[in-house]
Amino acid sequence: MHIQASEIADVVGGELTNGEDVTVTGATIDSRAVAAGQLFVPIVAARDGHDFIGSAVAAGATAYLTSQPPRAEVAAAAITCADTATALADVGRLVRRRLPERVVGVTGSVGKTSTKDLLAGVLATTFITAASEKSFNNELGLPLTLANAPDDTEAVVVEMGARGVGHIAELCSIARPTVGIVTRVEGVHLELFGDIDAVGRAKGELVESLPADGIAVLNADHERVIAMAGRTSAQVLSYGLTPSADVSATDITVDAALRASFRLHTPWGSTQVSLGARGEHQVSNALAAAAAAGGLGVPVEAMADGLLGAALSGLRMELHTTDAGVTILNDAYNANPTSMAAALRSLAALDGRRRIAVLGTMAELGADAPAAHEQIAQQAQSLGVEVIAVDEPSYGTFARHVGDVAAAVAALDDLDEGDVVLVKGSRVAALERVADALG
């Protein structure tokens, strides 16, 4: 989105100094990823982003925000503000006023990134669509998504994460979504939320924010989600495997590459769908995408095209075979009990000589963590899956334990043609390194 530096200064309550009133094109907080003409927003965290203003401008940024005195030696427009993170949110609000009313917020304990990706693929069949990159779903990533939307954007999909009650409400104050999708409410991040009721309260802030003429897309297969219908004045569209859902699926099959096909039923018609995304659990995410897209006017035939062609963010159910004939299922982006169980079922569905799961920690589960890890290891055993646990003793006696990634790779030195390996853990484990080492 093209924005005048003076407009930014006005909206953040700051002052434009050190340069002309340039037009910026989008924004970034990463000096290593600057595109020509962008606004650089230095964030103060473990490292102070102000230290990278010079390198950001050298890389092509034409203006920068700053809560420090402007850098006289830096040849770019400086926009002063009290706090750069708060100012970035204000920039997001400024851009939102220029966007159309097709803004979809996606939240949930599980599946929000995949649902966002699938919906972006479907909407793109009919509208010029912008969507959150990867899992840019917090108070920094969401306004960046808005700021980087093209000027001619016709629809936007933003992912919304939460670390506590009130976070999604704050994101909604920036994005002002007109459509909201809630996928699931599960006992994840309980170290932060305390209990699952708090998780439900937080996720429901999305539907509470919707205007009366908006659309709440709710998972009919999950009681805590469909109950959110009572928390919104917007139209409710339900989705799920429940036959009574507004958008549902029948005749589900899964091929040898874990890609699901099904008959899609919607208020706008029915069609046959084949997913490009892997895993039977993606059917539910696809139904959520179809419901939101249909509510925004996408024809049902276009839904099928979009769902087939949609590209998922990286490290999610990536399947490849090494030169040695070993199949790797890389689902290492993140993990919680629900997604871990789905990944194990996918692993068990693959043809293979041996099936091995290299599992890292499932973070932020609070007091439930030891039992949750042990249950996953037991489920793996029941599916005939060997478990190699990386630096996570809670998987217990059902797993072979190693201390780090190097030891995990060494433990796999007897892999042979026809073996299948799942790699999965929370982001802190970074187990994609195992997949990379295996080829």
Side-chain angles (χ1 to χ4, degrees):
M1 191 70 67
H2 289 81
I3 321 167
Q4 289 298 121
S6 57
E7 292 180 281
I8 297 171
D10 183 59
V11 78
V12 305
E15 183 180 359
L16 173 62
T17 64
N18 258 33
E20 299 178 0
D21 186 10
V22 296
T23 299
V24 301
T25 308
T28 184
I29 61 173
D30 187 347
S31 63
R32 300 163 300 180
V34 173
Q38 281 190 314
L39 171 74
F40 177 64
V41 183
I43 300 300
V44 180
R47 302 178 73 180
D48 189 343
H50 290 84
D51 294 340
F52 303 95
I53 289 173
S55 58
V57 171
T62 53
Y64 63 92
L65 290 171
T66 178
S67 60
Q68 299 177 0
R71 309 291 175 90
E73 73 280 8
V74 176
I79 302 166
T80 60
C81 60
D83 179 85
T84 53
T86 300
L88 177 58
D90 290 335
V91 171
R93 292 185 176 94
L94 169 65
V95 173
R96 174 61 182 90
R97 294 197 290 270
R98 302 181 180 180
L99 291 168
E101 290 306 296
R102 298 184 197 93
V103 175
V104 185
V106 183
T107 195
S109 301
V110 181
K112 54 184 175 290
T113 301
S114 294
T115 299
K116 176 263 299 181
D117 292 337
L118 290 167
L119 178 56
V122 174
L123 289 177
T125 65
T126 307
F127 307 110
I128 299 170
T129 302
S132 303
E133 294 183 17
K134 303 176 184 176
S135 290
F136 281 18
N137 62 16
N138 62 10
E139 67 280 4
L140 302 178
L142 184 143
L144 287 173
T145 298
L146 299 177
N148 290 318
D151 289 343
D152 58 353
T153 295
E154 297 174 320
V156 182
V157 188
V158 289
E159 183 178 335
M160 295 182 171
R163 313 295 285 179
V165 174
H167 289 185
I168 290 176
E170 177 63 21
L171 296 178
C172 288
S173 76
I174 301 170
R176 292 189 291 109
T178 55
V179 179
I181 300 174
V182 184
T183 61
R184 300 168 71 118
V185 172
E186 304 282 2
V188 299
H189 303 310
L190 294 185
E191 273 189 2
L192 304 172
F193 284 98
D195 57 40
I196 195 169
D197 290 334
V199 176
R201 287 196 301 275
K203 303 304 182 184
E205 291 166 5
L206 173 55
V207 300
E208 290 175 345
S209 78
L210 298 173
D213 59 353
I215 303 171
V217 178
L218 303 178
N219 190 340
D221 296 333
H222 287 264
E223 183 178 350
R224 289 178 183 272
V225 176
I226 197 62
M228 293 178 188
R231 296 171 62 177
T232 182
S233 58
Q235 174 192 359
V236 173
L237 285 174
S238 62
Y239 73 91
L241 303 182
T242 303
S244 60
D246 296 317
V247 176
S248 63
T250 58
D251 304 321
I252 300 170
T253 61
V254 180
D255 68 15
L258 300 178
R259 293 187 173 98
S261 296
F262 58 91
R263 187 71 182 173
L264 172 66
H265 304 278
T266 81
W268 313 281
S270 298
T271 192
Q272 188 66 23
V273 169
S274 295
L275 297 182
R278 293 185 175 89
E280 187 172 353
H281 58 283
Q282 296 292 356
V283 173
S284 180
N285 298 331
L287 295 176
L296 290 173
V298 175
V300 70
E301 295 79 9
M303 295 179 197
D305 292 339
L307 290 171
L308 176 61
L312 294 194
S313 299
L315 305 182
R316 290 168 174 84
M317 300 299 286
E318 296 177 352
L319 190 68
H320 76 277
T321 301
T322 69
D323 293 340
V326 176
T327 299
I328 310 297
L329 181 59
N330 185 354
D331 198 38
Y333 184 78
N334 215 335
N336 55 58
T338 301
S339 67
M340 190 73 85
L344 287 172
R345 291 193 298 271
S346 294
L347 173 64
L350 288 169
D351 289 334
R353 189 180 71 93
R354 295 167 61 203
R355 295 177 182 85
I356 305 164
V358 180
L359 305 182
T361 189
M362 296 182 290
E364 299 177 349
L365 296 181
D368 294 338
H373 284 87
E374 186 169 355
Q375 287 168 6
I376 287 296
Q378 288 177 327
Q379 180 176 355
Q381 184 184 58
S382 71
L383 292 170
V385 173
E386 305 171 38
V387 174
I388 297 176
V390 183
D391 193 25
E392 180 45 79
S394 295
Y395 285 112
T397 58
F398 298 94
R400 177 182 176 184
H401 292 269
V402 298
D404 55 26
V405 165
V409 174
L412 295 167
D413 63 357
D414 61 344
L415 289 176
D416 203 351
E417 183 176 359
D419 290 343
V420 185
V421 180
L422 166 69
V423 180
K424 188 167 179 65
S426 283
R427 189 82 300 270
V428 293
L431 288 191
E432 65 273 12
R433 294 174 293 168
V434 175
D436 292 342
L438 294 176

